Every structure is written in C-alpha cells, then in structure tokens.
Amino acid sequence: MENIEDKGRKVVIDLYKANVFCIVLLVLSAIVFAVPFLIIWKGAPMKSLLASFGGWGLFLVVMLAGIVVHELIHGLTWACYAKNGWKSISFGVIWKMLTPYCHCNEPMRISGYMMGAMMPCVVLGVVPAIVALFVGDLTLLVFGIIFIATSSGDIWITWLLTKENPKCLVLDHPTEAGFYILDEE
C-alpha cells in the first residue's frame, strides 16, 4: 500500500523489551506447566530429557526446525484470512536481532491477524505442554515451554490488538515487529 503512513497508525514493539518479555514468559510458562508436571510425574528424571533428544545436536536441530515451523504456521494461518492467500505472505530475518519473521502484505480483519499471530504459540507451545502433562513426556514439556516463550512478541502484539476497534483493519508492518491500524474502508 502506498503512503501507508498517511492512512494508518503505526504500532510497533521494542524487540529488546520483547526479548526480556521472552525470558519472563519462559519462567512463567515453566512455573505453570513444570510444577504440575513434576507433581503429577514425581519429577521425571532430567537426564532422560537430553537422551530423548539424542544429544545437544539433535536438540538444536529440533529447535531450529521449530522456529521455521513457527513462521510457516503464521503464514498458513494468515493466508487463510488474506484475500490473495499465500501470494500475500513472505518470510525473512531481522538480522540485528536474529529474529525470523513472517509478513502478510495486505490488510485483514483484526481477528484474523490475531489468529495468525497466536496460532504458533498454541500449536507448538500450549498443546505440547498440555499433552506432556497427560503423557509424562519431559521432552515434550520443555519443547512446549520454549515455544510458548518464543511467541512472546506474538503475544505482546495480540495484546496490543485487543485494545483496537475490531472494525478496523490491520496491516502487518513490513520491516518491524508491529502493524498499522487502518480505518475500515
């Protein structure tokens, strides 16, 4: 969209603060999910965690793959709400913060944008953590907690959107962690 600065209100989050929020969210998620897990499963042995990943190398590969899947989930979900579907989706990395991103280049309803923002947290974070509570899998628990924390920017952006008029449109910011609020056209 041309002259977006004239047509919309820019809302961005500070990535440094988002990284601090990530650490806070990691601790909170660990309390919310690990404490019940340890009570239910009598403190499943920690050494089984790394063994189930097959060592640090595989753990790193799983985490990196999870980051890629996280961004793909954003894209797939937003494509469902974008008029031009997958054609409106692009991916990249903000290298100075080592932050991968998915971008939708067309405006959509706030509810659709929020769905796309939160879906990776639910699919890769909350669901695995809850399943881990039922099956006693410490590896799955850690995976879920980490991916809840890595959704900190998405959670923050979604929270900011709850303060907006739901009749407005939202346009993903192309280069920063944030969005533009556009009056309904």
Side-chain angles (χ1 to χ4, degrees):
M1 294 184 71
E2 295 179 22
N3 301 323
I4 189 64
E5 297 285 342
D6 296 333
K7 297 179 182 179
R9 183 171 37 86
K10 179 178 164 181
V11 179
V12 296
I13 63 172
D14 181 317
L15 287 178
Y16 293 103
K17 290 179 182 177
N19 285 333
V20 170
F21 180 52
C22 177
I23 294 166
V24 170
L25 196 55
L26 180 69
V27 171
L28 291 174
S29 299
I31 292 168
V32 167
F33 290 104
V35 169
F37 181 90
L38 294 172
I39 291 169
I40 294 166
W41 297 101
K42 310 288 188 247
M46 290 302 288
K47 66 181 180 180
S48 69
L49 176 65
L50 191 56
S52 64
F53 275 120
W56 288 109
L58 185 57
F59 178 77
L60 183 60
V61 169
V62 168
M63 291 297 113
L64 290 174
I67 291 167
V68 171
V69 171
H70 175 112
E71 298 307 327
L72 284 171
I73 292 169
H74 281 311
L76 289 169
T77 309
W78 282 333
C80 292
Y81 292 96
K83 288 179 185 174
N84 293 316
W86 192 249
K87 293 176 187 173
S88 298
I89 307 300
S90 61
F91 300 91
V93 177
I94 301 171
W95 288 107
K96 81 175 189 182
M97 293 297 298
L98 292 175
T99 304
Y101 66 87
C102 173
H103 171 65
C104 181
N105 66 15
E106 72 176 73
M108 66 181 73
R109 296 274 173 221
I110 287 177
S111 59
Y113 189 90
M114 289 171 67
M115 184 70 74
M118 289 304 297
M119 196 58 73
C121 180
V122 172
V123 172
L124 297 175
V126 175
V127 169
I130 290 171
V131 169
L133 291 175
F134 286 96
V135 300
D137 188 324
L138 185 58
T139 304
L140 194 58
L141 178 72
V142 170
F143 182 88
I145 290 170
I146 288 172
F147 279 97
I148 290 170
T150 61
S151 297
S152 59
D154 302 326
I155 293 167
W156 190 349
I157 284 173
T158 301
W159 178 74
L160 290 173
L161 282 167
T162 64
K163 299 176 180 187
E164 301 294 341
N165 180 346
K167 292 182 180 180
C168 289
L169 298 175
V170 62
L171 176 63
D172 198 28
H173 195 288
T175 59
E176 297 183 65
F179 51 86
Y180 291 97
I181 292 296
L182 310 169
D183 290 329
E184 184 177 20
E185 297 178 11

